[in-house]
Amino acid sequence: MGIIDFLQNNTPFLNSREGDFIPLDKESSENTIGPPVLVLYAVPNSIEDDEFRDMVSDGMPSRNVVEGITTGENEVMIQRLDGMDEHGEGGDELLDMSVKDALNRMVQDATTERIVTPSATISSGQSLVVSPANGPCPVLYFSGVSNKEMMDTYKIIANEIYSETNGVHWPACAKVVAPALDKSMRQVLSEISGDHADAMKQGEEEKE
């Protein structure tokens, strides 16, 4: 059983968060909500912005990776968010907004230094992730794209993050759905990150 198969069958939050998340499945029914944005939470700083752009382009070849959403049709933008500390504090200011408001702010602020450009660093604050071992599990949080686009992109980026962290982190993957919109981005991402880390730990224990 591969890592993707294990997560599809065993990740706790897929069945226990009152519909906040959807299964990792290309073929499951589409439930596309929000602007076309990929939120990269607590991803390694060693992976450059243009590398993420290239990976997203490979995963969503029918979309243009843009600095700011115009029509939203055949477009997608990328937003990096700094990780929280072990107490769930700190990190990017967008974490304190609701998921809906944070996504809207990302699109509205698309011309500032917060948003991905080929030569700029995205986030305005200092990342709290000082090493892969003690940082939170990275999360790829998709909004406004199809399940197939999500999974194709996730597989590409997940492999890169796993390699970049020397096997410490296989990132979590989730898609924005209606029940999560009014929750804080901090709560949603911390739940995804923590539950995914627990699932990965369970998988390692079962191998022993």
Side-chain angles (χ1 to χ4, degrees):
M1 178 184 292
I3 293 178
I4 294 288
D5 295 324
F6 172 80
L7 293 176
Q8 289 173 337
N9 295 327
N10 294 280
T11 304
F13 65 72
L14 293 180
N15 298 313
S16 63
R17 293 295 189 188
E18 299 181 349
D20 283 359
F21 312 109
I22 63 170
L24 303 179
D25 185 357
K26 290 182 183 181
E27 307 303 325
S28 61
S29 60
E30 294 288 349
N31 189 4
T32 301
I33 293 175
V37 177
L38 169 55
V39 177
L40 302 172
Y41 169 69
V43 296
N45 293 330
S46 54
I47 302 178
E48 300 291 338
D49 299 344
D50 57 353
E51 294 180 78
F52 280 118
R53 290 175 64 92
D54 290 342
M55 289 186 281
V56 173
S57 293
D58 289 342
M60 305 184 198
S62 65
R63 292 182 183 268
N64 295 317
V65 182
V66 296
E67 297 176 22
I69 301 299
T70 54
T71 64
E73 184 176 355
N74 298 324
E75 297 177 332
V76 63
M77 58 177 282
I78 306 169
Q79 174 76 52
R80 291 173 92 148
L81 295 182
D82 291 342
M84 299 169 242
D85 62 21
E86 65 272 19
H87 304 295
E89 300 175 350
D92 198 286
E93 62 183 16
L94 290 173
L95 293 170
D96 294 318
M97 299 181 183
S98 68
V99 170
K100 180 180 179 180
D101 289 345
L103 290 171
N104 288 336
R105 173 67 68 84
M106 292 172 196
V107 173
Q108 292 168 1
D109 290 353
T111 57
T112 73
E113 65 181 2
R114 301 179 58 85
I115 306 303
V116 174
T117 64
S119 59
T121 300
I122 309 153
S123 63
S124 58
Q126 294 295 317
S127 174
L128 295 174
V129 182
V130 295
S131 74
N134 61 15
C137 179
V139 177
L140 310 185
Y141 197 30
F142 292 82
S143 167
V145 301
S146 71
N147 294 350
K148 183 179 187 304
E149 289 172 322
M150 173 183 71
M151 288 308 303
D152 288 347
T153 305
Y154 172 59
K155 289 178 180 179
I156 295 169
I157 297 179
N159 278 300
E160 182 65 21
I161 290 176
Y162 186 77
S163 174
E164 194 69 23
T165 60
N166 296 316
V168 173
H169 286 309
W170 184 271
C173 175
K175 187 177 179 182
V176 175
V177 291
L181 290 175
D182 292 328
K183 294 187 176 183
S184 74
M185 185 71 81
R186 183 179 301 277
Q187 177 185 350
V188 171
L189 291 177
S190 64
E191 288 177 354
I192 298 171
S193 179
D195 285 347
H196 184 81
D198 290 343
M200 297 304 297
K201 182 178 179 181
Q202 176 187 338
E204 290 299 320
E205 291 173 349
E206 290 179 356
K207 292 178 183 178
E208 297 176 355

